[in-house]
Amino acid sequence: MPDPRTAILGRLRAAGDSGPLPALDTAVLERRQWPAAERVARLRKGMEAVHTEFLDATPTTWPAVVRAFCDREGLKNLLFGPACQDGAALAAAWAPGGTQLMPYDRPVEAFKQELFGEVDAGFTSTVGGVAETGGLLLMPGPAEPRLMSLVPPVHIALLRASTIQDSFWSAVKALGWGRALPPNALMISGPSKTADIEQTLAYGVHGPKRLIVVLVDDLA
Amino acid sequence: MSPNSCGSAPVHAETEVHFRDAAAKALLDPQLRANFRRAMDGLITKRKAQFPDPRDLQDLRDLSTAIRSRSLLNLPELLEQFEANCTKNGIKVHWAETCEQANELILGIMQAKGAKTLVKGKSMVSEEMHLNAFLESKGIEALESDLGEYIIQLDGETPSHIIMPAIHKNKDQIARQFSQKIKDAKYTEDVDELTAMARKVLRQKFLDADAGLSGVNFAVAETGTLCLVENEGNGRMSTHVPPLHIAVMGLEKVVARLEDVAPLYAILTRSATGQAVSTYFNLITGPRGAGEKDGPQEVHLVILDNGRSRIYADPQLRATLRCIRCGACMNHCPVYTRVGGHAYEAVYPGPIGKILTPQMEGVGVRHDLIHGSSLCGACGEVCPVEIPIPEILVRLRREATHEDLGSAVAGKGTGRTATEDWAWRLWAGVTKRPTLYRIATWFATRFGKALPAGAPLIKNWTQSRTKPVPARRSLSERMRTEGGPHA
C-alpha cells in the first residue's frame, strides 16, 4: 500500500485538470485607494469602531505621549523590546519613577508566570497599517517577541501615519510579504473580542482588553 | 463504509440517520427556534451592511471564485510547493487519508514530546476527526478555548454552527451552565462577567498546556504559511504559548499566493459575521526562529483527505471544495434557521453540510440530508465563492437513486426505493403514450377533487398545506376546444 502522501497526490493527479485557469480580475481591489490624509482617517474610524483607542503624537513627542498615558492609567509596568529601534528610543526617553519599563530580553520560559500574571501592558512597533478596514501590521521577532502584543491586558502600538497602506492586499505587495515572511506576522484591528454569547460583543476575552494606538503624524 | 470515512465517528454509524425526525423534534422547541431566528436575522443584516455596492460584491465574488477555482485546478502542484516551503521553514508536514490516520498522527506527535494536555483553537477539521474524544480515550486532555467551543464542550455538545458553535444557547442557559460547571463561579447573566470567567479559566490552561492545536483558514503555497482568522486571541494563544503547535487542515485549503488571500479574507469575514475585518489575522510561517524568545519550538501540520480527493475527481462536485467555511449559507437558509444545526446530526450543518456530508459519508447513509432543502436558492445566492449548492443537491439526489451515472460518488444508488422506482416508471409509461396520457388527465381533472387529503403520498403534502385541486379541464383540452395561437 502506498504511503498516504503518494496515494492522495496520486488520486488528485489522476483526476486531472478540468479546463483552463480562470483569469483574475483585481479591479475591485485596485479601486480601494485614498490620499494619505484620508488613509489615516479611514484607519482611525475603522479601528475606533471596534474599541481601539488613539493617542496623537509627533515624531518627537511620542515617547512622552506613551509615558503620559502609562502614568495616567497608573500602569505598574510596561513590557518592551530593548533591541527594537522604537523600544530603545522609548527607553532612552524614560524618566525613572512611576511606570516601570520591563525589557522582554529572555526566553519566555524564564518568566512565563510573571508574563501572564504581573505585566500590565506591552509596547510594540508596527510595520504598517491598513486604511480600508482599519488594522495594524506587526512583524514580531527576536527584537519584539510574539506575546508582547497578546498576553498583557493593554497593548500600546506605535503607528507612523506614512506607513498606512490602502488595503491588506496592497500592504502584502508593498511589504513584499509574498516573497518572504518571518515565522510570525499579523494584522490586528482592535482589542480581543467575542460575540459567542448571544451575539453580544464582549471585549478582552483572551488577548488584550485595550488596544492603544500612538499615531505619529509624519506626513508633513 | 467507504475507506475514507471516519469509522470512529459516534453519530455517523452505518445505520441511516434521520434528519426528518430530528428536524421535526427541533421545530417543537420554541426556545431553540427563537435563539436561531434572532441570531440569523442579526447576521443577515450585518452581512448586508458590509456590501453596500452590488457591483463591488459581485466583482469580489467573481475574483474569490476564480482564485479558489485556480487553486483547485493546480491542487497537486500547489500542495507539493506548499509542503516544500513549509519544510524549508521548519514546519513538519504529515499526510492523512482518513480521520483515524490523522488522529493517530497527532497522538504520535504529542507522545513523542511527552505532551499530556492540548489546548485548542477553533478547527472544524478536528471536529470532523472527533479528535477530542479520541485523545481523551488515550488519556490526553483536549480543551476547546474558543469561547463558543468552550461553552459547548462544558455540556458535551457539538457545534450547531461552523462559525458560532454555541449559537443555539442564550445567555440564561450559559449563565446557569457556568454557575454549575466552573469552580467558584457565581450566577450572573452579565455577558462581560461570563466572558471574564472563561478568560480566567482558559488563561491558566494556555499557560499550562503542553501543546496547542489550530485549524488553517488559508494555506499559502508560495511562502509555506498558515493563515488563521479570529477575533478572540485564543488562536494566537494556542499557537504561540505552548511549546508545540499542531495544525490540521483539509487538503483543499491551499492557495497559490499570499496576495490571493487578501480578497478571500475580505469576503470571508464580511460574509461570515458582517465584519469588514477580524480582530486578528495571523500568519504562521514557522516555529520559533533563531534568536526568538517565544513561539512554539515545533510546528506540525496534518493535511487531511477524508474523501476530499474523491470529491475532487468529479468536475461538477469539485466546486464543493471551493468552500471557505464562512457559514453564510447557513445564516440565510430557511431550513437551517428553523431547525438549528444539531438536527443535521453532522459536523457541517446547513446547506454546505447537505452537500459535503453526503459526499464524505455516502449519499446512502445521509440520503435524508440531500432532501432536507426546498431548493429556494438562497445559499447559492450568498455564497462568496459561488458554489452552486442547489444544483449540487439535485445532482446528489440523482446520484442517490442511480448507480449507473459513471461517477465516483460514495454510496451512489443506495437511496433507491421500490415505491419511488415504480412511481417514476408509471409516470414515464403514461407520459410516453399520448392516448394513455389523455385518459389519465381526463380522470385526474374530473375526479382529482374527490381524492381524499389523507391518501398515502398526498398526505405528506397536505399535512401542512391545503390540498391542490386540479382544474376542471386540462390545458391541452382547452387549447383544442377554445383554440390558441398554435391551435
Side-chain angles (χ1 to χ4, degrees):
Chain A
M1 211 171 96
D3 68 287
R5 182 185 182 278
T6 312
I8 291 169
L9 288 172
R11 278 199 296 276
L12 295 179
R13 285 235 154 74
D17 59 11
S18 294
L21 290 182
L24 299 182
D25 178 1
T26 53
V28 62
L29 305 175
E30 285 150 27
R31 289 201 283 273
R32 304 274 166 217
Q33 283 187 38
W34 301 274
E38 211 176 308
R39 286 205 290 272
V40 178
R42 281 196 75 100
L43 172 134
R44 191 163 180 155
K45 191 167 162 243
M47 294 186 72
E48 279 176 345
V50 288
H51 287 208
T52 303
E53 300 160 62
F54 280 79
L55 299 173
D56 291 304
T58 69
T60 49
T61 63
W62 71 259
V65 170
V66 173
R67 180 60 195 255
F69 171 82
C70 293
D71 288 345
R72 193 164 65 239
E73 299 291 329
L75 299 179
K76 189 167 76 247
N77 51 30
L78 176 65
L79 191 67
F80 81 113
C84 157
Q85 201 179 355
D86 290 329
L90 186 71
W94 206 262
T99 308
Q100 199 196 337
L101 271 189
M102 193 175 170
Y104 195 153
D105 55 2
R106 62 222 128 121
V108 67
E109 286 75 15
F111 78 124
K112 220 172 178 179
Q113 291 287 347
E114 196 184 353
L115 174 65
F116 271 74
E118 309 293 330
V119 178
D120 279 356
F123 169 84
T124 73
S125 63
T126 60
V127 294
V130 170
E132 186 190 5
T133 56
L136 309 173
L137 300 165
L138 276 77
M139 282 170 72
E144 271 188 348
R146 307 176 191 207
L147 299 182
M148 294 176 69
S149 61
L150 178 64
V151 175
V154 179
H155 173 206
I156 305 170
L158 185 71
L159 174 69
R160 290 182 175 81
S162 61
T163 64
I164 300 174
Q165 309 284 340
D166 289 313
S167 63
F168 182 58
W169 182 69
S170 49
V172 163
K173 303 218 287 188
L175 294 169
W177 276 8
R179 290 188 296 280
L181 272 171
N184 185 217
L186 72 154
M187 174 158 69
I188 302 178
S189 67
S192 151
K193 67 175 185 291
T194 184
D196 275 348
I197 300 178
E198 228 181 67
Q199 297 283 288
T200 309
L201 260 181
Y203 285 88
V205 53
H206 294 299
K209 297 175 180 180
R210 292 176 73 186
L211 172 62
I212 317 293
V213 176
V214 178
L215 183 59
V216 175
D217 181 1
D218 60 348
L219 292 179
Chain B
M1 179 153 281
S2 76
N4 283 325
S5 67
C6 301
S8 60
V11 292
H12 311 302
E14 282 183 51
T15 51
E16 195 175 331
V17 186
H18 287 288
F19 175 61
R20 183 194 293 268
D21 301 338
K25 208 171 131 209
L27 285 171
L28 296 174
D29 184 343
Q31 181 69 68
L32 185 85
R33 292 187 63 172
N35 292 355
F36 272 95
R37 183 81 263 174
R38 187 183 50 242
M40 297 302 117
D41 284 349
L43 288 165
I44 289 171
T45 311
K46 282 197 265 178
R47 172 187 173 274
K48 208 170 166 201
Q50 284 297 335
F51 297 114
D53 182 344
R55 186 181 74 144
D56 274 0
L57 169 59
Q58 194 51 49
D59 288 354
L60 195 55
R61 288 179 81 209
D62 290 345
L63 175 59
S64 303
T65 304
I67 290 170
R68 289 298 299 139
S69 300
R70 286 171 70 104
S71 304
L72 292 175
L73 280 165
N74 288 330
L75 189 58
E77 294 77 23
L78 288 178
L79 279 169
E80 282 180 330
Q81 185 193 1
F82 172 64
E83 180 191 38
N85 282 326
C86 282
T87 307
K88 202 172 73 191
N89 298 334
I91 297 174
K92 296 192 176 75
V93 181
H94 312 263
W95 300 71
E97 290 197 76
T98 63
C99 295
E100 290 90 333
Q101 282 178 6
N103 282 332
E104 290 292 344
L105 278 168
I106 290 173
L107 179 67
I109 295 163
M110 290 192 67
Q111 282 174 340
K113 296 283 284 181
K116 291 257 181 271
T117 54
L118 179 75
V119 66
K120 290 178 69 198
K122 207 173 145 26
S123 154
M124 285 310 296
V125 169
S126 77
E127 297 282 349
E128 204 178 308
M129 292 156 54
H130 301 280
L131 174 67
N132 296 1
F134 171 80
L135 289 180
E136 268 149 37
S137 76
K138 304 288 177 189
I140 289 177
E141 180 196 73
L143 184 77
E144 297 288 349
S145 66
D146 171 85
L147 182 59
E149 291 276 356
Y150 174 71
I151 289 167
I152 59 169
Q153 193 181 29
L154 277 181
D155 271 351
E157 291 183 311
T158 54
S160 57
H161 189 285
I162 61 168
I163 301 288
M164 282 144 298
I167 204 155
H168 55 287
K169 286 184 183 304
N170 60 21
K171 69 168 183 265
D172 305 5
Q173 293 168 322
I174 296 165
R176 266 199 308 279
Q177 179 199 25
F178 274 27
S179 69
Q180 289 159 7
K181 305 219 164 147
I182 297 179
K183 205 167 147 261
D184 302 328
K186 65 176 173 69
Y187 181 89
T188 173
E189 287 174 17
D190 184 287
V191 172
D192 287 321
E193 286 180 38
L194 290 168
T195 304
M197 279 182 210
R199 176 183 173 103
K200 199 170 157 224
V201 173
L202 289 167
R203 283 219 144 200
Q204 193 59 45
K205 295 289 183 181
F206 291 127
L207 186 53
D208 296 337
D210 299 324
L213 184 124
S214 74
V216 176
N217 289 97
F218 309 106
V220 185
E222 71 176 353
T223 51
T225 298
L226 315 175
C227 303
L228 278 172
V229 179
E230 58 148 345
N231 284 316
E232 296 187 0
N234 67 307
R236 292 180 67 202
M237 285 282 190
S238 304
T239 56
H240 295 323
V241 178
L244 170 65
H245 168 208
I246 305 167
V248 289
M249 65 175 247
L251 56 76
E252 79 281 17
K253 289 281 177 190
V254 69
V255 296
R257 304 172 304 166
L258 187 61
E259 66 183 81
D260 295 336
V261 168
L264 294 177
Y265 172 56
I267 207 164
L268 169 65
T269 58
R270 286 173 169 93
S271 302
T273 51
Q275 291 176 276
V277 65
S278 61
T279 303
Y280 301 114
F281 185 78
N282 200 9
L283 299 137
I284 297 172
T285 312
R288 181 183 304 197
E292 272 200 279
K293 294 170 184 69
D294 55 23
Q297 309 282 3
E298 278 183 31
V299 179
H300 293 258
L301 172 69
V302 176
I303 301 175
L304 176 66
D305 183 338
N306 189 30
R308 287 167 173 83
S309 58
R310 189 181 52 229
I311 299 173
Y312 183 78
D314 188 289
Q316 185 189 20
L317 301 177
R318 185 183 285 186
T320 312
L321 300 178
R322 286 208 295 262
C323 181
I324 54 171
R325 305 281 190 267
C326 72
C329 58
M330 281 158 223
N331 305 347
H332 291 77
C333 176
V335 176
Y336 177 88
T337 304
R338 282 164 182 79
V339 304
H342 285 152
Y344 295 82
E345 297 183 342
V347 171
Y348 302 98
I352 187 65
K354 280 178 210 169
I355 61 169
L356 190 55
T357 311
Q359 293 189 70
M360 282 177 164
E361 297 177 16
V363 280
V365 181
R366 302 315 307 266
H367 183 239
D368 55 333
L369 281 184
I370 52 180
H371 289 280
S373 167
S374 65
L375 298 179
C376 77
C379 49
E381 200 174 295
V382 296
C383 178
V385 286
E386 300 168 339
I387 301 172
I389 296 175
E391 281 89 335
I392 292 179
L393 269 173
V394 172
R395 162 78 191 279
L396 292 175
R397 287 179 184 184
R398 198 168 149 68
E399 293 285 349
T401 52
H402 293 77
E403 46 185 334
D404 51 356
L405 299 177
S407 73
V409 173
K412 60 183 176 176
T414 50
R416 198 177 188 109
T417 64
T419 319
E420 198 181 324
D421 204 25
W422 184 84
W424 285 117
R425 271 171 210 267
L426 186 72
W427 176 260
V430 173
T431 48
K432 274 192 270 187
R433 293 172 179 81
T435 316
L436 201 55
Y437 185 77
R438 215 166 291 153
I439 294 167
T441 48
W442 190 88
F443 270 96
T445 49
R446 266 61 176 189
F447 302 108
K449 208 173 163 183
L451 211 60
L457 292 176
I458 295 176
K459 197 175 66 185
N460 292 344
W461 177 269
T462 55
Q463 64 188 358
S464 54
R465 303 172 189 86
T466 48
K467 195 188 83 173
V469 178
R472 286 269 302 122
R473 295 160 69 213
S474 75
L475 181 64
S476 64
E477 211 180 319
R478 286 182 60 190
M479 293 284 275
R480 273 197 307 277
T481 53
E482 296 168 23
H486 304 292

